[in-house]
Amino acid sequence: MSDAEDVAQLVEATAALVRDLHRIVESLEALHVGRKFTPDGHLVGSLGEVAALALFDITLHTSSNKGCDAVTPSGRMVEIKATYGADGVNVRRSSNGIAEDLLVLKLSKDGGVEVVFNGPYSVAHTLIVDKKDTWNGQVQMRLSRLRALNRTVLDAARVPARRSSAAVLAAGHPTPSYARHHVVGFDG
């Protein structure tokens, strides 16, 4: 089996499990009206990391590696942030200087993934210079501002797409800024 086939199978299996997960969450919320069972924290981070692995030419570090989650073949350290939310992602200032690149992914319940930002961490870090830290030492980067900033990043400064994921990227739904803002599905 080729690398492209392996990635396609991995993407398909992950998408099916994510859809199942959200069906379970919806069932729990129907049983316990008024109680939220939102997948968050570690689960969302790990889902974002495996989505990034399917889409980009990276190797993941072990879970909970401080300051970066992956490395590119050229040795660049990559921080991966994921959210199901519409507002933003929380980052630690200390990641700037450890991670050279930042991938921000917006996940959807149907297994879709939007690449909100793919570029140098130092560029994205400019969005939080004047912001105050939250109680847990993190700062929020707004998705809308990251999308706008993403349009300014040169292709050479991006984390490269995984060659075998070209079909997955091509399966995305074109938007006006498609070249810089992909919407893709785990289910290719």
Side-chain angles (χ1 to χ4, degrees), residues 66-80:
K66 191 169 185 168
C68 68
D69 300 303
V71 62
T72 66
S74 66
R76 292 182 61 84
M77 298 297 170
V78 182
E79 177 77 347
I80 302 165

Side-chain angles (χ1 to χ4, degrees), residues 22-34:
H22 285 287
R23 280 193 287 274
I24 291 167
V25 166
E26 289 168 5
S27 295
L28 285 167
E29 289 176 350
L31 282 172
H32 305 280
V33 177

Side-chain angles (χ1 to χ4, degrees), residues 113-145:
V113 178
E114 174 191 352
V115 178
V116 175
F117 184 83
N118 174 2
Y121 197 105
S122 59
V123 170
H125 191 262
T126 63
L127 297 176
I128 61 169
V129 171
D130 296 332
K131 289 187 159 196
K132 291 184 179 184
D133 292 3
T134 61
W135 64 271
N136 64 358
Q138 296 186 348
V139 183
Q140 187 180 68
M141 288 185 177
R142 311 264 324 150
L143 296 183
S144 59
R145 296 195 63 203

Side-chain angles (χ1 to χ4, degrees), residues 31-160:
L31 282 172
H32 305 280
V33 177
R35 175 77 49 207
K36 292 292 181 192
F37 290 83
T38 309
D40 56 12
H42 225 3
L43 177 61
V44 174
S46 293
L47 288 171
E49 290 165 8
V50 299
L53 178 64
L55 297 173
F56 297 98
D57 193 8
I58 58 173
T59 301
L60 292 177
H61 293 306
T62 57
S63 291
S64 301
N65 194 37
K66 191 169 185 168
C68 68
D69 300 303
V71 62
T72 66
S74 66
R76 292 182 61 84
M77 298 297 170
V78 182
E79 177 77 347
I80 302 165
K81 292 294 179 180
T83 185
Y84 279 98
D87 296 328
V89 293
N90 290 331
V91 298
R92 295 192 187 284
R93 291 181 198 278
S94 59
S95 293
N96 188 36
I98 297 172
E100 296 162 277
D101 294 307
L102 177 65
L103 292 171
V104 176
L105 308 176
K106 184 174 183 313
L107 309 177
S108 67
K109 290 181 180 182
D110 66 359
V113 178
E114 174 191 352
V115 178
V116 175
F117 184 83
N118 174 2
Y121 197 105
S122 59
V123 170
H125 191 262
T126 63
L127 297 176
I128 61 169
V129 171
D130 296 332
K131 289 187 159 196
K132 291 184 179 184
D133 292 3
T134 61
W135 64 271
N136 64 358
Q138 296 186 348
V139 183
Q140 187 180 68
M141 288 185 177
R142 311 264 324 150
L143 296 183
S144 59
R145 296 195 63 203
L146 283 164
R147 286 182 186 104
L149 194 58
N150 191 53
R151 290 189 286 272
T152 69
V153 177
L154 300 174
D155 288 340
R158 296 181 184 280
V159 175

